[in-house]
Amino acid sequence: MRIYLPATWPMLSRMVSTGRFEPMGGTGFALTPKLRESYVAGDDEELEYAAMTEAARASLRLLAVEFGLGEDATPARRVVVAADTDDVTVRPDLDDGAVRVSGSLPMEKIAAVHVDVEEAEHAVRQAAAVVDKADLGDLDAEFLVGEAEDHELAWYSPSEVQFLVELG
C-alpha cells in the first residue's frame, strides 16, 4: 500500500542521517476504503492525490508546532514522504484516509519525497500560523491555507533526498 507521511525539513534531515523515516505519532494517509467511499468519482491516482493532500496539510500542522516552539530556522516547506508498506492499520477515528504506521520505515520502503519549492515558503509560513483556525472553519485562515495548497509539491526520488537536504 502506498502511504503518505507528513513531515518537516528536520525530519527529512534525520531520515538522511539515520537511513530510516520515523513518522510523527505513526500517522499517515492512504487510499483507504473509507476515503474511496467519501468521493463520488475519481480513479486511484486522483484518490491517492487526495491522501497526499491530507498529508501535506498535516505537514502544515507539524510546521505550526515547530514555529510555535521557536524553530524559526526550519524551512517553511511542506514535506510528504511517500512509502510502500502493508504494515499499516486504518484509523477510522481520524480522517477518512488516516492510517497508523508501526515503527520507522527503512529507506528501501521510501518511494518518493514531495517538498515545497522555495517560492512557496512565504505562503506556507502564513498557512502554518493559521492552519488550526482553518480547521475550525475560519474563512480568512482557510484562504491562507489555500494559498499554500495552490503550490504543487515537487517530486524527488529517494536517491535525490540527500542532495536536497544538503542544498537546503
Side-chain angles (χ1 to χ4, degrees):
M1 169 184 278
R2 174 68 48 96
I3 60 172
Y4 300 93
L5 305 158
T8 62
W9 199 267
M11 293 170 71
L12 199 58
S13 295
R14 278 191 298 280
M15 180 180 81
V16 167
S17 67
T18 65
R20 300 187 71 79
F21 181 75
E22 185 73 42
M24 182 66 67
T27 300
F29 298 86
L31 174 49
T32 63
K34 190 173 179 183
L35 180 66
R36 185 180 303 281
E37 289 173 12
S38 69
Y39 282 84
V40 175
D43 61 18
D44 284 358
E45 186 173 326
E46 291 170 316
L47 297 176
E48 284 196 13
Y49 184 78
M52 186 178 82
T53 301
E54 286 300 316
R57 186 169 280 213
S59 176
L60 276 178
R61 292 181 192 104
L62 294 175
L63 283 169
V65 171
E66 288 191 8
F67 297 152
L69 294 173
E71 299 294 331
D72 293 329
T74 297
R77 297 185 189 187
R78 296 169 298 160
V79 176
V80 176
V81 176
D84 294 316
T85 183
D86 291 324
D87 191 18
V88 298
T89 306
V90 175
R91 293 285 313 267
D93 57 318
L94 296 177
D95 294 335
D96 291 342
V99 295
R100 176 160 314 280
V101 181
S102 58
S104 63
L105 297 165
M107 284 297 290
E108 299 81 49
K109 299 264 184 183
I110 306 304
V113 174
H114 306 270
V115 180
D116 273 312
V117 294
E118 188 174 343
E119 289 79 24
E121 285 191 15
H122 177 73
V124 169
R125 188 171 293 279
Q126 286 187 315
V130 298
V131 68
D132 290 336
K133 289 179 183 177
D135 288 343
L136 294 173
D138 182 304
L139 295 179
D140 291 332
E142 185 59 43
F143 177 79
L144 291 174
V145 170
E147 290 284 309
E149 290 177 342
D150 284 344
H151 292 272
E152 290 291 325
L153 299 175
W155 179 94
Y156 295 93
S157 162
S159 64
E160 298 173 309
V161 175
Q162 180 175 349
F163 300 112
L164 175 67
V165 169
E166 288 173 3
L167 294 174

